[in-house]
Amino acid sequence: MQKEVSENNGWEVVWLKHLAAELESEDPSAARPIRLTADIADRLLISRLELDSQAMSDDLEYVSVLASLPAGQTVFEYLIGCWKRINSAKSALSKKSYPPLEAEKANAVLEKLRDLVISYAGLTLQEPEMFPQPSGRVVGPPELVAPLLSLSTLSAPLLSTNSVSPNSLSPTEVQPFLEDLVKRFEPDGELDAVLGPVITQLCFHASLFRPEGLAGSDASWRGVLSGLEALVSIKAIAQLITRLPQWIPEGATAPNFEKVSLLGPLLRLGVFEQEWPTIANTYFSRPKERNPGELESATASLRGTLKSLQSTLFQIFNTLVRASAESREAVLQYFARVIALNEKRAGMQVEPDTVASDSFMVNLQTVMFRFCEPFFDVNYSKIDRIDALYFAHSNRINLKEETRVNATSEQAEQWRKQHEESNATAPNFISDIYYLTLAMNHYGYQKTVDSFEDLAKQYDEMSRHLEMLQGDGSWRNSIAAARTEHAIKTVEGEQEKVLMQQYSYQVQLADPELVLRSISFVNFVSTWIIRLVDPTHKHPNPAVELPLPKEVPMEFSVLPEYLLEDIANYHLFAVRTSPQSLELSGRSELLVWALTFLMSTWCIKNPFVKAKLVEVLFYACIPWGGRGSLLNSTLNSHPMALKYLVPALVHFYIEVEQTGASSQFYDKFSARNIAYLFKVIWDNPSHREALKNEAKTKMEKFIRFVNLMNNDVTYLMDESLSEMTKIHEIQTEMAGPSWATQPWQHRREREQALRGLERHASGYTQLCNSTVALLKQFTAETPEPFMAPEIVDRLAAMLDYNLDALVGPRCQELKVANPEKYKFNPKQLLSDILHVYLNLGDHGEFARAVAGDGRSYRKELFERAAAIAQRRSLKSPQEIERLLLFVTKVEETKATLEAEEDLGDIPDEFLDPLMFTLMRDPVILPTSRAIVDRSTIKSHLLSDVKDPFNRMPLTLEDVIPDVELKERIDAFLAERRNKDTVYDKPVEEVVKMDMDAE
């Protein structure tokens, strides 16, 4: 207050001339120096803050005061200096041995001073222009944002020194300062206004929007994370954050939510090329030219950075959840809002700029996985805390447009209303986070996985297109050379881009830590779903009993179908990209999951979802990357597999025949990887015994299975051999002398046709090989079902037809260059087909069926096949001898059949309208009233459960015997058999008749 004091201290102690004059005028008799009180302190501080170092003054005494003020110092900086000095004074006071009463009084004064300083610091953050500020300085909230950003230096020991300005907050002082702000402003409800702008500016810091993202050299985003961590560590600030309007901005859309919501800019940081092309280009450009070690190093570096980001993000969300019931609800609403905005992400064709980014969704998924971890224990001790009636008790997730597992929309709504309780307790946090994670997984993470797998398909398509463009190189000397060269370079450039995208996806999606978390999640979900349908609700302790009851619980039926689909899809992704991850945990869960619903297919409505179960088992049995198969040993040792796998596969083979779709004939082949699964388990005696038991105890069903397998072999063999013939034709043309003289356009068209045939042929041939091998094994193990009247004739006809194709006059048309490229092995096919003949050769019904095949059977085909088998060592001498003996038996049977069937002209009304053969047991179909032979309709119903004449549902029990027609047919047969035929006449008469005819 006195000029002399200021002068003696080199003006470092500021002389508040005007305040001194005011105080003296108010009380001229007051002692000097004036005793400091709270009122005086407030006036002192205001007077000091009102000084403007840039102001002009005519008062020469006062010019010195203004000139002595620190140049460019902001009001906030001055207040921080005061706050630090007060803290130092308090610290010094505690170290001195003053009498307790004096120390307490001094401490009380310092506390009041600190409250005063903090009050003005808060006001300055809200209204920085309240007091004079130096020009050219950024003032207000950014002044607190800066020290918050500096907190990341704590993670770097060399930078965590105390060389901080006396008027700025050091990293260790940020937390106490924030606590003082909360203590001062939170009781009066003013904290939002003080810290809201600071939080907002921190969360929307420019560093989060730079193209280099988390790979930027200054790593400012780490400062944002650290500052946010410091803020949320104080409970009142954590609660404040979730109250801010920017927490869930009103009117935000799916694509901009991550840019305008408070935590969005941090959550959107990632490495995916779509959103962060700069990162992908920096780390993975020209991937074909890069050293593998360099690519691995780049991947490891980015993964480390991502883990740091995701780990801190979880800590922030977790702290928010624990701050209060209100902030926990706000976090759940945040997750739910993201899901609601991004329902379109699950669609087939989605424009990326209409939905949230992959980076944003995957980061959120990692946060939510961590929230789930506490109830993912190996003993499933908390599994029953998940509310099975959640979709009736909560409206966080909208399922109105979602297909349900086994219920219509009307049934689901009826169930919801039935279980809806207006005064019911809200679902617990475990239920909320579990169901929200399921939805986030579907709309976010799983869609990102699909996008990654689509890139592999794009790359393959480009490779095929490139191969087609390059052709045989003859274009180099044509007029199209420049255009073709340009097209090739374009495709190669696109391939490089796709490969770069794949690497950027792999950084995150193939991260072992994320994969393990995902597998734990999938294991838990699959176990929880089985527990829902388990009548005891105890699975996995003890394991569910199969098959499940026919009455499916509604809690399961109303679940969104995507839950089952996502489990299957993630298993497919894991077994193809990270099979080693499932070796630790997941094999048994995967097997039990698939078997449960393959043994109880009535639980799931959609046949394509059921087909996914077989697809997962199939891929899990394929060796990957030089490793053994993931599931082979489990399929051959797990008790449930030994008991249920064979009947489950047989049942599904039948069921997938009818998918209900217009493309069902072709759909079934994509699901019939069953043949490969049988190959995996065939050497196991327990599985073969299970097959025999299935054939014995469920003969009718097994006959249906056999019939479908026969149909498949018929179709696949025909397609495979047809494709080989076409390939042979084009290859022959290309190898001919006139090929070079053909027009360039003609050569290009033929090359394209060849590439298309090659793609189809490989798929058909592999499936054909597996199915024929399956037929060989089954006819050896359980021949009886193949002798059923509705099977044996068709089986014989199929075998004869394909034997003709393999060794008959057309066999030369099957010779192709590089047959291994198409997995085409005609020798193995011939060997397998001959083996089927040998397996069934001792059965008279089979010999009779072969003999009755008037289309393809010829004795010389078998003789030629035997010669080839002997020359190529396809069969042993004993097997070849047995084959020739079978042919002799067939020839004898054929002669007998010809004698039996010399019936002359048969009346049309006695002929089967489908097969044009004499009916022996005519029946009437109830709805179409058509009359067919019982054996014909029985055979038809093995493949198709509808009336062939009007497509109405039909079972064998529905048909009506036509007794009157049967009697007339029997009379006709008796008459013809009693009538003289060439077979009734003596040999001499037959010879005479022949001579007369000549």
Side-chain angles (χ1 to χ4, degrees):
M1 291 290 191
Q2 295 174 336
K3 179 181 178 183
E4 297 78 17
V5 176
S6 292
E7 285 178 326
N8 294 336
N9 286 278
W11 300 102
E12 285 187 13
V13 176
V14 179
W15 175 39
L16 300 174
K17 177 180 178 182
H18 300 302
L19 179 59
E22 283 179 22
L23 292 173
E24 190 172 348
S25 67
E26 290 171 7
D27 188 1
S29 63
R32 298 289 182 271
I34 298 171
R35 185 175 180 81
L36 188 64
T37 64
D39 181 53
I40 293 295
D42 191 12
R43 294 174 70 179
L44 277 170
L45 190 54
I46 291 176
S47 182
R48 167 63 182 85
L49 295 177
E50 286 178 339
L51 293 179
D52 184 357
S53 63
Q54 299 174 125
M56 303 297 291
S57 176
D58 296 332
D59 187 341
L60 296 178
E61 286 184 319
Y62 212 58
V63 169
S64 300
V65 173
L66 296 177
S68 68
L69 297 176
Q73 185 183 69
T74 68
V75 171
F76 187 75
E77 287 173 337
Y78 170 73
L79 291 169
I80 290 298
C82 293
W83 180 80
K84 293 175 75 166
R85 288 189 290 276
I86 292 169
N87 288 338
S88 297
K90 281 176 66 67
S91 178
L93 182 65
S94 65
K95 294 174 183 175
K96 300 233 176 136
S97 54
Y98 290 115
L101 190 58
E102 289 185 22
E104 187 178 342
K105 286 181 180 179
N107 201 52
V109 172
L110 290 172
E111 283 290 342
K112 286 181 180 179
L113 288 173
R114 185 165 64 178
D115 286 347
L116 194 60
V117 167
I118 286 293
S119 294
Y120 281 102
L123 290 172
T124 302
L125 288 172
Q126 292 179 74
E127 298 182 45
E129 304 302 329
M130 177 183 290
F131 298 105
Q133 297 277 18
S135 59
R137 292 292 305 276
V138 176
V139 293
E143 293 186 89
L144 184 51
V145 170
L148 286 168
L149 288 170
S150 72
L151 291 177
S152 64
T153 58
L154 287 173
S155 61
L158 294 176
L159 297 176
S160 58
T161 63
N162 291 321
S163 57
V164 179
S165 162
N167 297 311
S168 60
L169 293 169
S170 69
T172 57
E173 292 169 332
V174 171
Q175 190 86 0
F177 182 75
L178 291 172
E179 289 171 353
D180 282 351
L181 282 173
V182 169
K183 182 180 176 183
R184 165 63 186 82
F185 290 101
E186 201 261 343
D188 298 333
E190 298 175 356
L191 193 61
D192 295 35
V194 173
L195 285 181
V198 174
I199 294 166
T200 303
Q201 291 192 25
L202 176 71
C203 291
F204 294 117
H205 193 263
S207 63
L208 303 180
F209 297 91
R210 293 172 186 161
E212 59 270 22
L214 49 73
S217 56
D218 64 351
S220 299
W221 61 270
R222 292 185 186 273
V224 177
L225 268 181
S226 300
L228 199 52
E229 262 193 305
L231 288 165
V232 300
S233 67
I234 301 168
K235 186 176 289 189
I237 301 178
Q239 295 169 354
L240 153 64
I241 286 174
T242 58
R243 288 197 304 266
L244 292 174
Q246 295 90 343
W247 176 250
I248 302 177
E250 191 175 343
T253 62
N256 78 0
F257 187 86
E258 62 198 72
K259 296 177 182 176
V260 298
S261 67
L262 213 52
L263 296 186
L266 278 169
L267 283 163
R268 69 184 287 270
L269 292 175
V271 296
F272 298 128
E273 193 270 345
Q274 179 76 28
E275 302 100 48
W276 302 98
T278 301
I279 295 178
N281 278 303
T282 302
Y283 285 84
F284 302 118
S285 60
R286 302 186 308 280
K288 289 184 178 180
E289 302 171 21
R290 305 278 283 276
N291 182 290
E294 187 183 347
L295 292 171
E296 287 176 18
S297 175
T299 298
S301 173
L302 289 173
R303 277 183 185 163
T305 305
L306 271 174
K307 284 180 187 178
S308 173
L309 168 71
Q310 292 165 354
S311 178
T312 307
L313 282 171
F314 169 70
Q315 294 304 328
I316 290 168
F317 273 103
N318 193 35
T319 307
L320 293 174
V321 162
R322 295 172 184 275
S324 69
E326 292 75 19
S327 59
R328 179 169 64 248
E329 174 61 22
V331 169
L332 293 173
Q333 288 179 2
Y334 186 90
F335 295 152
R337 186 65 181 148
V338 171
I339 291 165
L341 286 172
N342 285 282
E343 289 175 352
K344 287 201 306 183
R345 263 182 66 95
M348 294 294 290
Q349 299 291 331
V350 184
E351 290 296 327
D353 57 359
T354 64
V355 292
S357 67
D358 285 329
S359 297
F360 176 74
M361 298 299 277
V362 174
N363 283 334
L364 261 182
Q365 187 75 56
T366 63
V367 168
M368 297 180 78
F369 276 163
R370 291 183 190 226
F371 272 123
C372 292
E373 280 181 353
F375 56 90
F376 281 179
D377 61 295
V378 292
N379 297 318
Y380 300 98
S381 61
K382 297 179 182 177
I383 196 168
D384 288 328
R385 294 185 63 186
I386 295 172
D387 185 0
L389 304 177
Y390 183 83
F391 291 118
H393 293 164
S394 170
N395 58 3
R396 288 195 198 280
I397 301 167
N398 178 19
L399 296 180
K400 193 166 286 184
E401 301 299 322
E402 293 296 342
T403 305
R404 309 304 179 100
V405 171
N406 202 0
T408 63
S409 299
E410 293 75 20
Q411 290 171 326
E413 181 60 18
Q414 185 180 353
W415 172 85
R416 188 190 65 78
K417 288 179 178 177
Q418 181 184 343
H419 293 281
E420 187 180 36
E421 301 170 29
S422 57
N423 58 349
T425 306
N428 57 36
F429 181 73
I430 286 180
S431 296
D432 272 323
I433 206 70
Y434 174 67
Y435 284 95
L436 286 168
T437 304
L438 286 171
M440 186 70 74
N441 183 58
H442 177 63
Y443 296 114
Y445 182 47
Q446 192 59 55
K447 185 63 182 179
T448 304
V449 169
D450 293 344
S451 299
F452 172 63
E453 297 196 316
D454 285 344
L455 286 174
K457 295 173 186 173
Q458 287 179 36
Y459 191 87
D460 290 344
E461 287 172 6
M462 288 177 181
S463 296
R464 287 193 291 269
H465 185 52
L466 196 59
E467 188 180 0
M468 182 274 292
L469 286 171
Q470 290 168 336
D472 63 354
S474 58
W475 51 268
R476 297 184 188 281
N477 299 318
S478 71
I479 57 172
R483 187 175 62 191
T484 305
E485 187 71 42
H486 176 73
I488 288 172
K489 286 182 178 178
T490 301
V491 174
E492 287 175 340
E494 288 298 312
Q495 256 195 333
E496 286 271 309
K497 185 177 179 182
V498 169
L499 195 56
M500 183 176 69
Q501 289 176 309
Q502 284 180 295
Y503 274 110
S504 66
Y505 269 96
Q506 281 177 328
V507 169
Q508 194 146 351
L509 297 185
D511 174 33
E513 192 173 308
L514 177 58
V515 171
L516 286 173
R517 279 201 172 94
S518 304
I519 289 170
S520 296
F521 177 72
V522 167
N523 289 346
F524 183 89
V525 176
S526 61
T527 302
W528 175 78
I529 288 177
I530 294 173
R531 196 180 182 95
L532 270 186
V533 290
D534 178 6
T536 69
H537 301 298
K538 300 288 185 184
H539 180 80
N541 299 306
V544 64
E545 285 289 325
L546 300 179
L548 296 168
K550 292 281 185 177
E551 189 175 340
V552 184
M554 280 303 290
E555 288 79 8
F556 169 79
S557 295
V558 300
L559 289 175
E561 188 178 87
Y562 66 66
L563 297 193
L564 309 187
E565 211 168 358
D566 289 346
I567 291 171
N569 285 338
Y570 193 79
H571 274 132
L572 283 170
F573 170 73
V575 299
R576 287 195 287 240
T577 58
S578 304
Q580 68 280 4
S581 303
L582 283 160
E583 289 178 353
L584 300 173
S585 169
R587 285 185 294 180
S588 293
E589 289 86 349
L590 165 58
L591 175 65
V592 172
W593 159 256
L595 283 179
T596 297
F597 294 106
L598 286 175
M599 280 296 291
S600 314
T601 53
W602 51 84
C603 291
I604 302 173
K605 185 169 55 176
N606 189 337
F608 297 101
V609 173
K610 291 181 266 193
K612 286 269 185 186
L613 302 174
V614 175
E615 189 180 358
V616 171
L617 291 178
F618 166 69
Y619 277 102
C621 288
I622 296 176
W624 293 95
R627 304 168 65 91
S629 142
L630 175 70
L631 212 55
N632 280 18
S633 61
T634 310
L635 290 181
N636 284 296
S637 59
H638 196 286
M640 286 186 74
L642 297 176
K643 186 175 182 180
Y644 298 122
L645 184 59
V646 167
L649 294 179
V650 168
H651 174 76
F652 188 71
Y653 200 98
I654 296 168
E655 184 172 319
V656 78
E657 182 76 13
Q658 304 287 335
T659 64
S662 58
S663 57
Q664 67 180 14
F665 179 80
Y666 300 100
D667 293 336
K668 65 184 180 182
F669 291 109
S670 63
R672 288 219 170 133
N673 300 313
I674 291 171
Y676 185 86
L677 294 174
F678 272 112
K679 179 182 177 182
V680 167
I681 63 173
W682 192 252
D683 291 334
N684 190 313
S686 297
H687 284 304
R688 288 212 303 276
E689 192 58 38
L691 180 72
K692 290 178 183 177
N693 185 60
E694 191 73 8
K696 189 184 300 180
T697 59
K698 299 175 184 174
M699 177 62 84
E700 187 174 336
K701 180 178 177 181
F702 200 78
I703 285 174
R704 239 190 121 188
F705 167 69
V706 165
N707 174 68
L708 296 175
M709 183 170 30
N710 182 50
N711 290 350
D712 287 353
V713 172
T714 302
Y715 175 76
L716 292 168
M717 283 285 290
D718 194 47
E719 286 297 311
S720 298
L721 299 181
S722 172
E723 300 283 271
M724 290 303 120
T725 300
K726 293 173 184 174
I727 289 172
H728 166 81
E729 178 188 334
I730 296 177
Q731 287 181 344
T732 302
E733 180 185 355
M734 292 172 70
S738 62
W739 176 252
T741 63
Q742 294 292 333
W744 174 82
Q745 188 62 34
H746 171 78
R747 295 201 303 269
R748 172 54 55 87
E749 287 173 1
R750 295 297 277 166
E751 285 175 357
Q752 289 178 351
L754 179 60
R755 302 287 176 254
L757 288 167
E758 288 177 338
R759 285 198 302 275
H760 294 145
S762 179
Y764 278 126
T765 305
Q766 287 185 76
L767 194 51
C768 174
N769 294 341
S770 297
T771 312
V772 172
L774 189 65
L775 182 66
K776 177 186 76 172
Q777 292 164 339
F778 276 31
T779 52
E781 205 68 31
T782 58
E784 291 77 14
F786 294 89
M787 296 302 104
E790 56 269 35
I791 299 291
V792 67
D793 289 337
R794 296 167 71 185
L795 174 64
M798 180 274 293
L799 292 170
D800 294 344
Y801 177 80
N802 287 305
L803 186 68
D804 182 21
L806 289 170
V807 303
R810 297 175 298 157
C811 71
Q812 295 301 316
E813 298 172 3
L814 301 177
K815 288 187 176 180
V816 295
N818 303 317
E820 61 279 356
K821 179 178 180 180
Y822 319 111
K823 310 295 188 294
F824 180 56
N825 187 343
K827 289 188 291 185
Q828 186 60 51
L829 272 178
L830 176 60
S831 175
D832 286 349
I833 286 177
L834 291 179
H835 213 102
V836 175
Y837 281 112
L838 293 172
N839 290 341
L840 303 177
D842 293 336
H843 294 264
E845 303 98 312
F846 183 63
R848 183 182 179 89
V850 173
D853 175 21
R855 184 183 67 159
S856 302
Y857 169 74
R858 294 195 305 281
K859 178 183 177 182
E860 55 270 24
L861 284 178
F862 282 85
E863 291 172 341
R864 186 172 181 197
I868 293 172
Q870 184 175 27
R871 188 167 66 251
R872 302 284 188 181
S873 300
L874 302 181
K875 296 295 171 196
S876 67
Q878 294 80 3
E879 287 174 324
I880 291 171
E881 186 178 351
R882 282 176 54 209
L883 182 66
L884 294 174
L885 286 172
F886 170 71
V887 176
T888 302
K889 182 178 178 181
V890 170
E891 285 294 305
E892 292 172 353
T893 306
K894 183 180 178 184
T896 303
L897 285 175
E898 287 172 350
E900 287 178 353
E901 294 184 4
D902 183 18
L903 298 175
D905 289 335
I906 301 172
D908 288 348
E909 63 175 321
F910 295 168
L911 292 174
D912 183 284
L914 294 176
M915 303 301 294
F916 299 101
T917 54
L918 178 68
M919 292 186 285
R920 307 288 176 144
D921 186 6
V923 294
I924 303 169
L925 306 187
T927 56
S928 67
R929 307 306 293 176
I931 299 172
V932 295
D933 195 63
R934 184 182 294 274
S935 64
T936 300
I937 197 62
K938 191 174 181 181
S939 178
H940 169 80
L941 290 174
L942 290 174
S943 306
D944 188 349
V945 291
K946 292 182 179 177
D947 185 321
F949 297 95
N950 64 4
R951 307 304 299 153
M952 296 296 290
L954 178 67
T955 66
L956 193 60
E957 291 73 25
D958 295 334
V959 303
I960 306 161
D962 193 332
V963 179
E964 186 271 334
L965 181 58
K966 185 176 189 312
E967 289 175 352
R968 288 196 287 132
I969 290 173
D970 289 344
F972 167 77
L973 286 171
E975 177 191 352
R976 288 301 171 96
R977 283 170 183 156
N978 291 331
K979 184 179 179 182
D980 287 348
T981 66
V982 290
Y983 295 101
D984 297 321
K985 300 177 185 298
V987 175
E988 294 81 1
E989 289 189 33
V990 175
V991 172
K992 185 175 183 301
M993 287 171 61
D994 288 343
M995 291 175 65
D996 291 343
E998 291 177 2

